[in-house]
Amino acid sequence: MYPKNLQKILLIVLLVLQANFSFAQASKAKCDSLIEAGKKALDKNQHTHSLELLFQALDLAKNNGLDKQEFLALNNIGTNYYRLSEFGEALNYYLEGYTIAIKKLTPNEEILVLNNIAILYFEEKKYDQAKDYFTRVYTASKENKENLTAGVAAINLGTLSVEKNDLELAKNYYEEALPLVSERPEYIVLAKGGLANCELLLGNTNKARKTAQYLIDTTKDLEFYHADVELLLIIAKSYLQENKLDVAEEYIQKITTKKPKLETKIKLYKLLTEINIKRKTLDRALQYKDSLFEATAKLNASKNEKLFENSKIKFELQQYKNQSMLNEAKLVSERKIFYFVLLFIIVIVLFALWTVRNLSLKLKQKKLIAERNEQILALELEKEKRESLLLEKQFNENQAVSLLQQEKLKNEVEIKNRKLSAKALYLSGKNEMIEEILSELSVLPQVSKDNTLVSHIHSLKNQLKADNEWDNFITHFEEVNQGFLDALKSKHPALTINDIRYISYIYMSLSTKEIASMLSITQDSCRKRKERVLAKMNLPKETNLYDYLTSL
C-alpha cells in the first residue's frame, strides 16, 4: 500500500492529466464540428458563413496544436476563395496548408492540397504549372500505393493534355488511369469519356460515338462530374462532323433537358448556330446566336470579366449584325431596333458591373491598406515594447551586479575591520598584561631597592602609555575604509585626534567595553566621551552614532 500522502498526490496528478486530456479532446471535437459546418455551408455556396466558421476552427486549431484540423481549415478556406474566383487568396491558403502537410502530416494530406493547387492553375489556364502539380500528385500517389488518387491524377493529366492539344499523350494518361480506378465506375466513365473525346478530336467520329453511347447505355449513374452531358456532347459533335445535322440537333436538345451549366450552354448554342448556318436557316441561327451572346455576357459578368470582354461581345454582335445584313436582305427594321436596344442594354449593364467592380476594388484596396497600416503600427509597438523590456532587463541586471559588487566590498571592509579590531584588541590586551606585570614587579622589595630597575620599569610604563601603534593603526584603517576619515574631517573639522580615534573604533562596530579597554579608560568615561563627541558634531544625544557614521 502507498502512504496516504503519496496516494493523494497520485490522485491529483491523475485528475489533472485527465482534465487536460478532456480539454484537448473537447477542443478537437469543437474544431471538427466547426470544420464540418463550414464544409456544409461551402456546399451550399454560403461562403461568408463558411469562411466565418472555418476561420474560427483555424484559430482554435492553432491555439491547441491541432495540426490535422489546422490543415483541413486552411484547405477549405482555400476552396471557398477558389469558388469565389479569388485565385490569389486561394493559392495562399493552399500553400500554407501544403507547408503543414509536408512537415507534420501524412502523404494523403500532401496529395490532397497538391491536387487543389493543380486544379487552381488549370482554371487559370497556367497549364505548365498545373501539369507540374498534377504530376507530383500522380507520383506521390503511386509511391504510397494510393491507386485511386493516382488514377484521378492521370485523368486530370489527360484532360490537361487535351487542352494543350497533345492528344496521343492524353490517350496514354486515360488508358493508364483505367486499371487504377477499376473499382470506381464513376471514374472509369471519366477516363473512357476522355478517350472518346480524344478519338473525336482525332477525327475518329464513329469510334468516339460508339464509346460514348456504350457508356450511356451501361452506366447507372452518369451525374458524376456531369459525365452524361459530356458523353451526349461527344455524340452530337460526331454527328455534326459527319454532317448529320438533325441527329446532332436531337442530341443537343437532350442535353438542354438536363439543365447544363452556363459554359455548356454556350457550347450548345455554338453548335446549334453552326447547324442552322449549314442548313441556311438564318432566322434560327440568329436566335441561337442571340442566345449565345446572352449566355456569354452572363458568364463574363459572373466571372467579373473586365472591359475587354465587353468590347469583345460588342464586336461579335456587330460582326453578327453585319453578317446577317449581308446574308438576309429581308431583315425587318423592328429586329434591327431590337438588337440595337439589346446591345445598348448589355453595354449599360456591363458598364454598371464594371463600375461596381472598380468601386469594390477601391474599397477593398483601402481596407487592405488600412489593415496593413494597423499591422505595421502593431509591429512597431511590439518592437518598442520588446526594446523597452530589453533595456529594463539590462538595467536590472546592471543594478543587480552593482549591488552585488557593493555588498562584496562592504563584506570585505567588514572583514578587514574585524581583523583590524582583533589586532587592536590584541595589542590592547598585551599592553594591559605588560603594565600589570610591571606594576607587580615595582612593589617587590628586591626591585624597589634597585634604582636602576625602578628606572627601567618607569621607562617601560611610559612607553606603554605612548601612542606607538596609533600611526600604524590609522594607516591600516584608511586603507580599509578609503575616504571615511577625509569625509569625517571635512564635515566635522572640530574633532581632535582622540575623538577621531574613538569614532574609528565606533565605526569598526566595537562595544563600549572593548573601546574602554583599548583607550585604557573606564566604561563610564567612554560613554561621557561619546556625549562630548556628539556635541562637537552637533548631533542630538539620542543619535545612533554607528548608523550616522556608516551613512557618510
Side-chain angles (χ1 to χ4, degrees):
M1 294 291 291
Y2 290 104
K4 290 185 178 180
N5 289 337
L6 183 57
Q7 286 182 343
K8 290 180 179 179
I9 292 170
L10 290 174
L11 180 60
I12 291 171
V13 171
L14 182 62
L15 290 173
V16 170
L17 292 175
Q18 187 176 2
N20 289 336
F21 178 76
S22 299
F23 179 76
Q25 290 296 107
S27 299
K28 181 178 179 298
K30 184 178 180 182
C31 197
D32 288 336
S33 176
L34 288 169
I35 292 171
E36 191 62 31
K39 289 169 66 177
K40 289 180 180 178
L42 172 61
D43 293 337
K44 296 177 182 178
N45 292 324
Q46 298 172 353
H47 297 293
T48 302
H49 184 51
S50 176
L51 287 171
E52 181 181 351
L53 293 168
L54 292 169
F55 276 119
Q56 288 180 22
L58 181 62
D59 290 338
L60 187 61
K62 285 183 176 179
N63 293 333
N64 291 277
L66 302 172
D67 298 329
K68 179 69 174 293
Q69 283 70 23
E70 183 180 355
F71 167 80
L72 292 174
L74 288 168
N75 190 63
N76 284 287
I77 289 171
T79 304
N80 265 288
Y81 282 115
Y82 164 72
R83 293 189 184 179
L84 289 169
S85 298
E86 293 284 349
F87 294 148
E89 286 292 328
L91 182 60
N92 288 336
Y93 284 102
Y94 282 149
L95 290 175
E96 189 176 347
Y98 176 66
T99 302
I100 294 173
I102 60 176
K103 288 183 177 180
K104 302 177 180 179
L105 302 178
T106 66
N108 291 333
E109 285 78 16
E110 179 185 353
I111 291 168
L112 173 63
V113 73
L114 281 174
N115 191 65
N116 288 340
I117 294 171
I119 292 171
L120 193 63
Y121 279 124
F122 182 82
E123 290 291 338
E124 289 187 305
K125 300 188 184 305
K126 295 180 179 179
Y127 296 133
D128 291 336
Q129 293 94 323
K131 182 179 180 181
D132 176 49
Y133 278 95
F134 277 135
T135 304
R136 288 163 69 177
V137 173
Y138 178 75
T139 304
S141 301
K142 292 278 282 186
E143 289 175 354
N144 290 280
K145 298 181 180 179
E146 295 286 341
N147 290 338
L148 179 61
T149 307
V152 173
I155 292 172
N156 289 330
L157 285 167
T159 305
L160 183 62
S161 300
V162 171
E163 292 293 334
K164 297 179 74 174
N165 205 29
D166 192 345
L167 301 178
E168 291 300 328
L169 180 60
K171 288 175 65 177
N172 291 336
Y173 278 125
Y174 287 133
E175 288 170 355
E176 191 170 353
L178 284 172
L180 297 173
V181 297
S182 58
E183 296 181 0
R184 296 290 294 272
E186 63 272 26
Y187 289 113
I188 293 174
V189 171
L190 292 180
K192 290 184 176 180
L195 287 170
N197 189 42
C198 289
E199 296 295 343
L200 177 67
L201 294 173
L202 289 169
N204 301 323
T205 55
N206 188 46
K207 185 175 180 181
R209 183 168 60 250
K210 285 182 177 180
T211 301
Q213 190 63 57
Y214 174 78
L215 291 172
I216 291 172
D217 295 338
T218 58
T219 307
K220 293 181 180 180
D221 185 8
L222 288 171
E223 294 183 1
F224 187 72
Y225 278 96
H226 306 285
D228 51 348
V229 172
E230 295 299 325
L231 293 172
L232 289 171
L233 198 56
I234 290 171
I235 295 172
K237 287 180 179 179
S238 69
Y239 281 122
L240 180 59
Q241 287 186 24
E242 294 174 359
N243 212 29
K244 297 178 181 179
L245 305 181
D246 293 338
V247 185
E249 185 174 7
E250 179 184 343
Y251 275 93
I252 291 173
Q253 294 301 331
K254 287 182 180 180
I255 297 173
T256 58
T257 61
K258 295 183 177 293
K259 298 180 180 179
K261 297 187 296 183
L262 194 57
E263 292 87 345
T264 306
K265 286 184 178 180
I266 291 172
K267 295 178 183 178
L268 297 179
Y269 291 140
K270 286 181 179 179
L271 292 176
L272 289 169
T273 302
E274 184 179 350
I275 289 171
N276 283 282
I277 288 174
K278 286 185 176 183
R279 287 175 175 168
K280 296 183 180 181
T281 53
L282 297 180
D283 285 340
R284 293 192 66 188
L286 183 61
Q287 291 174 2
Y288 288 125
K289 194 72 171 179
D290 291 342
S291 299
L292 171 63
F293 293 146
E294 185 178 354
T296 304
K298 288 181 181 179
L299 181 62
N300 290 335
S302 68
K303 291 183 177 180
N304 295 320
E305 287 288 342
K306 295 184 179 180
L307 193 59
F308 172 77
E309 290 296 329
N310 179 22
S311 300
K312 180 181 177 181
I313 292 171
K314 288 190 291 183
F315 175 76
E316 290 181 355
L317 285 172
Q318 188 63 42
Q319 287 291 99
Y320 172 73
K321 186 178 70 171
N322 293 336
Q323 187 67 34
S324 63
M325 288 176 63
L326 291 173
N327 295 334
E328 189 174 7
K330 297 180 180 180
L331 191 63
V332 294
S333 59
E334 290 83 0
R335 188 178 293 276
K336 290 182 180 179
I337 296 172
F338 170 77
Y339 285 118
F340 277 119
V341 171
L342 179 61
L343 177 61
F344 179 74
I345 291 172
I346 291 173
V347 170
I348 294 297
V349 170
L350 291 177
F351 180 76
L353 290 172
W354 178 77
T355 304
V356 170
R357 182 178 181 278
N358 283 345
L359 290 173
S360 176
L361 286 174
K362 288 179 180 179
L363 289 173
K364 188 179 290 185
Q365 288 172 353
K366 288 181 179 178
K367 184 178 178 182
L368 287 173
I369 291 170
E371 289 177 352
R372 287 175 183 172
N373 289 336
E374 288 179 0
Q375 291 175 354
I376 291 170
L377 181 60
L379 289 173
E380 290 177 351
L381 290 173
E382 183 66 23
K383 181 181 178 183
E384 291 177 0
K385 183 178 178 182
R386 289 178 181 174
E387 290 176 350
S388 175
L389 290 173
L390 182 60
L391 290 173
E392 183 180 353
K393 183 179 179 181
Q394 291 175 347
F395 174 77
N396 291 335
E397 289 176 353
N398 292 336
Q399 191 176 31
V401 171
S402 176
L403 290 173
L404 287 173
Q405 290 176 345
Q406 290 178 8
E407 187 67 26
K408 182 180 178 182
L409 291 173
K410 184 177 179 182
N411 290 336
E412 290 177 354
V413 168
E414 288 180 356
I415 291 170
K416 290 182 179 180
N417 278 337
R418 284 197 293 271
K419 290 181 180 179
L420 199 57
S421 300
K423 183 179 179 181
L425 288 170
Y426 169 74
L427 291 174
S428 175
K430 184 181 72 173
N431 290 342
E432 287 179 0
M433 183 181 69
I434 293 172
E435 187 174 0
E436 185 178 336
I437 294 171
L438 290 175
S439 297
E440 291 177 356
L441 287 173
S442 62
V443 298
L444 293 174
Q446 301 93 325
V447 176
S448 60
K449 293 177 181 181
D450 191 335
N451 292 330
T452 302
L453 286 174
V454 171
S455 176
H456 286 316
I457 289 171
H458 184 71
S459 297
L460 285 171
K461 285 183 177 182
N462 289 336
Q463 184 66 27
L464 289 173
K465 291 180 180 179
D467 248 346
N468 295 331
E469 295 294 330
W470 175 243
D471 291 339
N472 290 336
F473 176 82
I474 287 296
T475 300
H476 290 302
F477 184 83
E478 286 184 332
E479 288 178 358
V480 174
N481 305 280
Q482 293 181 2
F484 172 73
L485 293 179
D486 291 338
L488 181 65
K489 293 174 182 178
S490 175
K491 196 165 186 179
H492 303 287
L495 296 173
T496 65
I497 293 175
N498 287 334
D499 295 333
I500 292 172
R501 184 175 183 179
Y502 172 76
I503 288 171
S504 299
Y505 292 151
I506 292 290
Y507 185 73
M508 291 165 61
S509 193
L510 295 178
S511 66
T512 302
K513 181 179 179 181
E514 292 170 335
I515 295 171
S517 173
M518 293 178 69
L519 296 177
S520 300
I521 59 176
T522 65
Q523 293 187 34
D524 289 337
S525 298
C526 188
R527 282 189 283 271
K528 289 179 180 179
R529 177 169 288 190
K530 178 182 179 182
E531 292 176 358
R532 288 197 301 272
V533 168
L534 289 172
K536 284 184 180 182
M537 296 172 73
N538 296 320
L539 297 173
K541 290 183 180 181
E542 62 275 9
T543 301
N544 188 317
L545 187 56
Y546 175 77
D547 291 342
Y548 174 75
L549 293 175
T550 55
S551 66
L552 291 178

